[in-house]
Amino acid sequence: MNSTTRAPAAGTIVAGAHLLLALVYAAIFAARYGYSPLIVPLHVAQVALGCVVVGLLIRSIAARAGPRPSRRTRWLIAIVGATASSLYLVILIGCAVTNEAWGWSVSLSLAREYASSLPAIIGNLPFSRGWLYAGATLYIATKLAILAAWWRVSLRFFRRPGSPTSRRPRSTRSRSFMHRPAVKALLPAVAVLATATFIAIARYSPRAAAEPFTALLTAPGLPNPSQARARNLAARRAYSRAYAGVANFDHRNVVLIFADALRADHTSVYGYARKTTPFLDSLATTGRLRRVQLAMSTCSFTACGILSTLASRDTRVLEPGSLKVHDILHDLGYRVNFIASTDNSSWYTLRVHYGQTVDYFFDAFNSKRFALNDDRSAFEALDAVPAATGPAFFFFFLSSTTSLGDKLPQFQHWLPAQVGADGHAVQSLVNAYDNGILEADNSIQRIFGALDQRGYLKNSIVVILGDHGEGFGEHGHFAHTKYLYQEVLHIPLLIYDDSDTTYRNLEFASQSDIAPTVLDRLGLPIPPDWQGHSLLTADPKSFSTHWTDRGRPWHAVVYRTRGQVYKYLYQTRWGALSEELYELVSDPGEHHNLISLGARPELSDILSTVRRKAETTFSRTPQ
């Protein structure tokens, strides 16, 4: 190969290898995690653009080096190329890991926010540190191999020392389209325009927004804040006509306390063998704490759990403009307070969803004393809340129950609580989780005390619940977000009310029932488009619907009939419908799929009923 073709050939080989990797990765990525096929051309196009930019940079370095480049110049070319390739590899690995863990691609904003929690993330992985060290060693070896490969590529840009110049004749170089000054000047603008186009396409097709490079530049969730505010205002005005005629209602304070990833069967107030909730146990003995026997989260990730509760929604209509319970209370003179010990600012644009009716907002990024996911920041926020002068709405979100939560030493009751400490990773995870619940119970006790001191606890209704549950390998899966089994849907739902009010339906409820219950308890009308039911009514709830859009989307219908509770799950995978049916009273752990056990006449009516409900709710007919 002569000097005029050596460098272009080397560049073509490298770019071709990256494009082939991009094509294969994107195809597998879209197929495995159920994303739009649009991800494949999006990803390949962006990698091609990156190859052009890096290639021009390297060619520029080579052109400036002259006929006898130094070893330093060759190292510079190798380092530039290897860095670009390694960063690309990091992005691919990171997106694969986050999709396996929680069903979405990592973004720069989330990576920056959770960088401080990296030790906690590593410490709570469901396998020993040895696997982590092995993976790190493999990555370092791969990175060194990439660097060595780029060193060899750098040699292709030059002749050996002492040989004729490797630079192409001027007439040949002048014909290179990509090296013309006008093209070089326009390239940044083309890159910006292309990126904006990719993001616009991803907005049009949300399932394409998980494409690795697009996800890096966008936060999860892409609402339109201005349109959201307009819709919210219109909904509030429409509802205001309903409560305008209500002269008197019970001006009770309303308090919602969420504990992240809190599953019911790990709380002693729901019968767990370990005493993880001593304060809630003591409240239960007073008769003021009502417990819903089977309470279900709408879905298996935080944003949906919170917004379903506030807006009384079972389905995926969780837009920022949905009318929420605190919007109504704010219009009736309530002071609205939102306090979270984690990120509620940018995580799935929650702050935008909360709307403009929040008088006081505090999350972990406002703390001057504590780090992200430290529940002590909630009490730092409460210090700024004035004493009660009128009715108030409080929203609290606690983090100690999640694997990323900061665990205080005084609550390390069950040991070992670090993965790899004894070789029993799952038991260590469970111990750490139960310790977190014990800490959250203490935080709830402190919240009760602080509210009482400021005059908010008396004459109040307090709802304590989880946003979703957490898996510990029960169905071969850990954490949450991607599946709808009971370990991630069955949550505690506790109502503290210091009056003698009778809650008639405490057997079965979902998060969407909380807002209607609150308004009904205050003596206010319930918005007609809310999907939940008040727990004060005698009419029992028969259905609840659940979903997750993480990974390959799952849908579920829970159907309560004649003392039995059936749960129907379905998803489409590789073009085929997968169905599961469980009876939760006799099989709470969902071990026996009634569909796989064979057709039984007594199940035909049940299957027909839940399939029709799934069809009408999710606008998708199970086949």
Side-chain angles (χ1 to χ4, degrees):
M1 184 179 293
N2 59 40
S3 61
T4 63
T5 60
R6 178 175 291 154
T12 301
I13 293 172
V14 171
H18 281 80
L19 290 175
L20 180 61
L21 173 62
L23 178 62
V24 173
Y25 178 89
I28 296 175
F29 183 82
R32 177 170 178 79
Y33 302 117
Y35 293 124
S36 168
L38 187 60
I39 279 181
V40 178
L42 276 175
H43 187 63
V44 173
Q46 296 196 76
V47 172
L49 183 62
C51 287
V52 171
V53 173
V54 174
L56 286 177
L57 177 60
I58 291 176
R59 290 287 296 274
S60 178
I61 295 172
R64 293 173 182 274
R68 294 182 178 274
S70 65
R71 192 177 185 87
R72 179 178 179 181
T73 300
R74 291 175 177 167
W75 272 115
L76 179 59
I77 290 176
I79 290 173
V80 168
T83 299
S85 297
S86 298
L87 284 176
Y88 180 47
L89 184 61
V90 167
I91 292 171
L92 298 189
I93 294 174
C95 285
V97 169
T98 56
N99 271 277
E100 287 292 338
W102 61 284
W104 198 254
S105 299
V106 66
S107 69
L108 288 175
S109 60
L110 295 181
R112 182 179 63 254
E113 292 165 9
Y114 284 87
S116 61
S117 300
L118 188 59
I121 296 173
I122 295 174
N124 286 284
L125 292 173
F127 46 78
S128 66
R129 298 283 179 91
W131 287 103
L132 185 64
Y133 297 146
T137 301
L138 178 62
Y139 173 73
I140 292 172
T142 303
K143 192 169 184 178
L144 291 175
I146 291 173
L147 182 60
W150 269 100
W151 169 253
R152 296 293 299 171
V153 169
S154 71
L155 296 178
R156 306 293 293 177
F157 282 87
F158 306 101
R159 304 284 287 181
R160 292 181 177 84
S163 62
T165 178
S166 64
R167 301 180 73 187
R168 290 182 290 166
R170 182 175 299 275
S171 60
T172 304
R173 292 198 314 274
S174 64
R175 290 196 298 269
S176 176
F177 175 79
M178 295 304 295
H179 277 270
R180 292 177 181 176
V183 174
K184 289 183 178 180
L186 287 174
L187 191 61
V190 172
V192 171
L193 180 61
T195 302
T197 302
F198 297 144
I199 294 175
I201 293 174
R203 284 175 178 264
Y204 177 76
S205 176
R207 298 293 293 172
E211 187 279 320
F213 286 108
T214 306
L216 277 179
L217 303 175
T218 58
L222 299 169
N224 186 319
S226 60
Q227 293 181 8
R229 283 194 291 269
R231 287 193 297 268
N232 182 270
L233 182 59
R236 286 163 56 196
R237 285 173 175 169
Y239 178 76
S240 67
R241 293 192 293 270
Y243 66 69
V246 180
N248 297 305
F249 65 94
D250 194 347
H251 290 72
R252 284 181 171 268
N253 299 305
V254 176
V255 183
L256 299 183
I257 304 177
F258 280 91
D260 195 0
L262 182 60
R263 51 190 281 181
D265 62 351
H266 274 249
T267 61
S268 52
V269 72
Y270 272 80
Y272 189 43
R274 289 177 169 180
K275 291 296 180 182
T276 53
T277 54
F279 173 67
L280 296 178
D281 296 345
S282 66
L283 281 185
T285 62
T286 67
R288 297 180 178 180
L289 191 71
R290 284 78 167 176
R291 185 186 73 176
V292 176
Q293 182 177 349
L294 178 60
M296 308 282 284
S297 60
T298 299
C299 44
S300 54
F301 58 97
T302 295
C304 173
I306 292 174
L307 298 175
S308 294
T309 301
L310 296 175
S312 186
R313 291 287 175 181
D314 278 338
T315 60
R316 288 176 287 182
V317 186
L318 294 171
E319 60 184 12
S322 299
L323 181 66
K324 301 173 181 64
V325 63
H326 63 274
D327 296 327
I328 296 171
L329 296 180
H330 179 273
D331 290 351
L332 291 169
Y334 278 65
R335 173 186 166 91
V336 175
N337 307 275
F338 273 72
I339 297 173
S341 63
T342 187
D343 169 21
N344 267 201
S345 296
S346 56
W347 184 258
Y348 280 90
T349 59
L350 277 173
R351 182 62 187 91
V352 174
H353 277 272
Y354 295 158
Q356 304 300 307
T357 58
V358 178
D359 298 297
Y360 176 61
F361 177 83
F362 182 103
D363 74 352
F365 296 129
N366 300 116
S367 177
K368 298 179 180 178
R369 298 164 52 192
F370 303 106
L372 192 69
N373 299 317
D374 190 327
D375 284 349
R376 290 175 293 181
S377 63
F379 307 104
E380 177 187 357
L382 272 172
D383 290 340
V385 175
T389 56
F393 172 90
F394 284 92
F395 169 97
F396 291 95
F397 192 87
L398 303 176
S399 306
S400 58
T401 41
T402 185
S403 59
L404 300 181
D406 189 47
K407 308 292 196 298
L408 299 180
Q410 59 266 37
F411 299 104
Q412 299 304 295
H413 186 75
W414 294 282
L415 299 172
Q418 288 189 338
V419 176
D422 64 346
H424 296 88
V426 175
Q427 187 57 55
S428 298
L429 279 176
V430 171
N431 290 342
Y433 180 72
D434 290 346
N435 291 335
I437 297 176
L438 185 65
E439 182 174 343
D441 181 78
N442 179 263
S443 296
I444 294 171
Q445 182 177 12
R446 292 180 62 189
I447 289 173
F448 269 66
L451 293 177
D452 190 27
Q453 184 180 12
R454 288 166 174 76
Y456 292 106
L457 187 62
K458 186 178 180 180
N459 193 36
S460 68
I461 174 175
V462 183
V463 181
I464 303 162
L465 72 159
D467 56 344
H468 52 73
E470 186 80 343
F472 295 109
E474 288 88 345
H475 289 86
H477 310 292
F478 290 83
H480 51 273
T481 76
K482 296 171 63 177
Y483 301 94
L484 297 178
Y485 295 110
Q486 284 301 91
E487 56 266 23
V488 294
L489 287 190
H490 185 199
I491 58 171
L493 177 51
L494 305 163
I495 303 173
Y496 174 83
D497 192 334
D498 58 7
S499 71
D500 295 329
T501 300
T502 299
Y503 290 79
R504 299 182 180 181
N505 179 19
L506 293 176
E507 295 183 7
F508 177 46
S510 67
Q511 290 167 328
S512 63
D513 300 321
I514 295 171
T517 300
V518 168
L519 292 190
D520 196 12
R521 176 67 184 84
L522 300 181
L524 292 167
I526 299 170
D529 62 337
W530 278 7
Q531 296 176 333
H533 298 77
S534 170
L535 301 183
L536 295 170
T537 63
D539 184 23
K541 186 182 182 78
S542 298
F543 289 99
S544 64
T545 54
H546 313 266
W547 60 276
T548 179
D549 62 354
R550 300 293 171 262
R552 290 191 170 275
W554 278 90
H555 301 85
V557 173
V558 177
Y559 175 41
R560 179 171 173 263
T561 176
R562 299 187 297 273
Q564 295 176 312
V565 180
Y566 290 93
K567 182 177 176 184
Y568 170 70
L569 302 99
Y570 75 94
Q571 71 162 186
T572 302
R573 183 176 179 84
W574 308 111
L577 182 71
S578 174
E579 295 180 294
E580 299 176 22
L581 181 68
Y582 302 98
E583 201 288 299
L584 298 180
V585 175
S586 60
D587 182 23
E590 297 166 301
H591 300 299
H592 307 292
N593 181 5
L594 299 178
I595 293 178
S596 66
L597 294 178
R600 289 159 43 182
E602 66 270 22
L603 293 179
S604 59
D605 290 342
I606 298 295
L607 273 172
S608 298
T609 300
V610 294
R611 283 170 174 165
R612 283 197 304 269
K613 183 65 175 179
E615 176 184 353
T616 56
T617 301
F618 301 113
S619 299
R620 184 176 182 178
T621 306
Q623 301 175 359

